[in-house]
Amino acid sequence: PNFSIIVCEFVLGTVIGNLGQDKTPTKIKNALLRVCNSIPSFLAGKCNEMVTNYGTQIEQYIADGKSAESTCVSIHLCSST
């Protein structure tokens, strides 16, 4: 399986679920890092890499109300099927 897709959708889904309506870039980034630090270590590396490489884009997409799946597609970690 493509762990990038799994990690992306799981992490972003968790972040979106935990944020509620408070979707400021700082809150989003902190939530991303919290989730990356709480998942099993074999996935945490992928998670941290995703935040490092795409954090700003992810923050913008989530702030704009995009879903986890569409955000992962937009940053090219998932294909749209």
Side-chain angles (χ1 to χ4, degrees):
N2 185 334
F3 285 113
S4 295
I5 295 167
I6 296 165
V7 170
C8 185
E9 290 187 357
F10 172 77
V11 169
L12 298 190
T14 302
V15 167
I16 291 167
N18 289 339
L19 281 174
Q21 296 302 312
D22 193 7
K23 294 179 179 160
T24 62
T26 303
K27 293 253 185 201
I28 294 167
K29 183 154 193 131
N30 288 339
L32 286 167
L33 294 173
R34 259 196 317 275
V35 175
C36 287
N37 289 329
S38 70
I39 60 176
S41 59
F42 74 98
L43 297 175
K46 285 268 183 223
C47 186
N48 287 313
E49 184 181 310
M50 178 183 71
V51 173
T52 299
N53 293 334
Y54 304 105
T56 304
Q57 290 170 280
I58 291 169
E59 290 164 19
Q60 186 60 57
Y61 290 133
I62 291 175
D64 289 346
K66 279 197 170 200
S67 69
E69 183 181 2
S70 68
T71 298
C72 295
V73 169
S74 296
I75 61 174
H76 308 293
L77 288 181
C78 302
S79 59
S80 55
T81 52

